[in-house]
Amino acid sequence: MAVVAGRSDAPGAPLNVPPTFASTYRDGESGLYGRWDNPTWRAFETALGALEGGRAVAFSCGQAAATAMLSTVPDGGTVVHPVDSYLGTRGLLRALADSGRLQARAVDVTDTAQAVHAVSGADLVWLESPTNPSLGIADLPEVIAAARRAGARAVVDNTFATPLCQQPLSWGAAAVVHSATKYIGGHSDLLLGVVVTGDEQLHETLLAHRSSQGAIPGTMEAFLALRGLRTLPVRFARQQETAGGLAVRLSGHRAVSAVRYPGLPTDPFHARARAQMSGFGAMVSFEVATAAHADRLVSALELVVPTTSLGGVESSIERRGRWPGEAHVAPGLLRMSVGLEHVDDVWADLAHALGVMTSG
Ligand SMILES: *Cc1c(COP(=O)(O)O)cnc(C)c1O
């Protein structure tokens, strides 16, 4: 589906929908103006919508997609969100709460009883699983069902899992949000966001929001993101396999005090991940003794790139505690995005850096 969805089957049509550089269109049936529609956006939306099982609306970036979803919360309404979650989402919610636009309530979504209790009275329940950066797993089917019973819209940021591991719309989520900047684009060369929904009215609302607020994707970005999507299944399969191998090797290293990867049989969320996901993702977090140890490790790496963001073909790493707002994570926690290099090469780099770290 990732390979074929969104192509035109008209005889003579280009195999790939090309980037359409147009600010406006001749009067006719569709199109009209470049802020309202673009054939390249549509091709990308058709493909991702097919993978998630809904209709997609592409935005300029993940934050714009989140902003569009949050715009559906009534004034003074309540949003429940995970303590451990994307920093940008939490920052956005904080800003909206500080300005009095809405109320934000943080919960540990991996604690099902706490999450189920928290959804009562909420208008929107924002979920992330695996969580970021601790890679905990929320019982998504259970929490989404509780949100629905409470009359709240459940929204899942599916950036880390991708539709290949889980399709939250099938559990009753009102919408799925993606930063396509990450695995979907997959090459660290674009920013793009998406909301996918099965709700016709919400789809219309999101389109209207995009047209009026102007958070539209560039046609080149949509083209590149679709090109990335075509290879997502093979990239992600390889990245997950390497992540699993690295998680095992890290667990066996004496300078690593904890490894968080839901694919590890010893991980506290392994059983839950197995039950609801068809893969464990390609993010691995692990802890070393102190922030100084973590910084020493990062500077000794030669192959793995020290950088924020994730989901590219290159392995990258960062100490999350370096960001204000990540006070809840251990100071020595490192989050790694596993790329497409050979597992032995990544491990050799990590093992060498761990050695430098301990001897420093
Ligand atoms: C990066 C990211 C976002 C924000 O997306 P942008 O494309 O950077 O705006 C949202 N959620 C998660 C999980 C992310 O990793």
Side-chain angles (χ1 to χ4, degrees):
M1 210 189 286
V3 176
V4 299
R7 293 195 198 280
S8 166
D9 51 12
L15 196 55
N16 294 295
V17 175
T20 298
F21 295 102
S23 65
T24 192
Y25 304 86
R26 276 178 184 277
D27 282 359
E29 304 274 288
S30 65
L32 296 178
Y33 187 54
R35 180 157 36 78
W36 303 340
D37 204 359
N38 178 290
T40 317
W41 305 349
R42 284 203 179 219
F44 171 74
E45 289 166 345
T46 302
L48 187 66
L51 288 180
E52 286 286 6
R55 294 184 73 185
V57 181
F59 290 89
S60 53
C61 63
Q63 285 293 96
T67 301
M69 259 330 289
L70 293 174
S71 76
T72 66
V73 176
D75 280 337
T78 297
V79 177
V80 167
H81 67 96
V83 175
D84 195 53
S85 55
Y86 181 64
L87 206 42
T89 312
R90 272 185 283 140
L92 183 56
L93 283 165
R94 166 80 56 81
L96 292 169
D98 286 350
S99 71
R101 162 74 181 88
L102 49 75
Q103 297 184 47
R105 200 191 299 158
V107 296
D108 176 3
V109 293
T110 67
D111 178 338
T112 309
Q114 190 188 133
V116 165
H117 180 73
V119 301
S120 96
D123 296 280
L124 191 148
V125 178
W126 192 276
L127 296 165
E128 245 185 81
S129 178
T131 64
N132 178 11
S134 302
L135 305 181
I137 303 292
D139 187 332
L140 288 179
E142 190 71 33
V143 180
I144 290 168
R148 281 174 71 102
R149 282 196 302 274
R153 262 189 184 140
V155 179
V156 179
D157 182 334
N158 211 20
T159 301
F160 275 29
T162 85
L164 304 175
C165 280
Q166 64 191 18
Q167 291 135 14
L169 298 182
S170 70
W171 295 319
V176 163
V177 170
H178 277 283
S179 170
T181 308
K182 315 295 167 53
Y183 289 106
I184 292 171
H187 295 74
S188 308
D189 54 7
L190 63 89
L191 283 100
L192 199 88
V194 197
V195 182
V196 193
T197 179
D199 177 333
E200 203 53 46
Q201 208 176 341
L202 180 58
H203 180 251
E204 288 300 319
T205 303
L206 292 165
L207 287 174
H209 174 95
R210 180 177 68 183
S211 294
S212 68
Q213 305 278 322
I216 57 167
T219 188
M220 197 63 193
E221 278 74 6
F223 174 79
L224 287 172
L226 179 53
R227 182 163 138 148
L229 184 63
R230 299 300 186 210
T231 58
L232 175 65
V234 278
R235 280 187 286 112
F236 206 55
R238 165 68 179 260
Q239 287 165 320
Q240 292 189 94
E241 193 186 323
T242 305
L246 292 174
V248 169
R249 293 185 207 192
L250 282 165
S251 306
H253 198 286
R254 66 192 158 70
V256 174
S257 52
V259 178
R260 295 304 304 271
Y261 182 66
L264 278 178
T266 50
D267 189 271
F269 296 107
H270 181 64
R272 190 179 282 172
R274 272 197 97 86
Q276 69 189 39
M277 301 173 76
S278 47
F280 303 108
M283 300 298 296
V284 178
S285 290
F286 61 98
E287 285 174 38
V288 293
T290 66
H293 282 81
D295 289 341
R296 212 148 58 222
L297 187 158
V298 170
S299 24
L301 290 163
E302 288 164 7
L303 176 72
V304 179
V305 186
T307 182
T308 194
S309 198
L310 57 120
V313 297
E314 63 291 319
S315 292
S316 64
I317 196 164
E318 71 172 333
R319 185 173 76 78
R320 286 304 294 182
R322 69 185 174 133
W323 299 109
E326 293 281 60
H328 69 286
V329 303
L333 180 132
L334 291 154
R335 188 191 73 181
M336 187 164 59
S337 168
V338 176
L340 289 179
E341 306 89 345
H342 195 285
V343 62
D344 292 343
D345 292 337
V346 183
W347 177 246
D349 196 32
L350 282 170
H352 170 256
L354 281 161
V356 172
M357 176 191 89
T358 32
S359 65

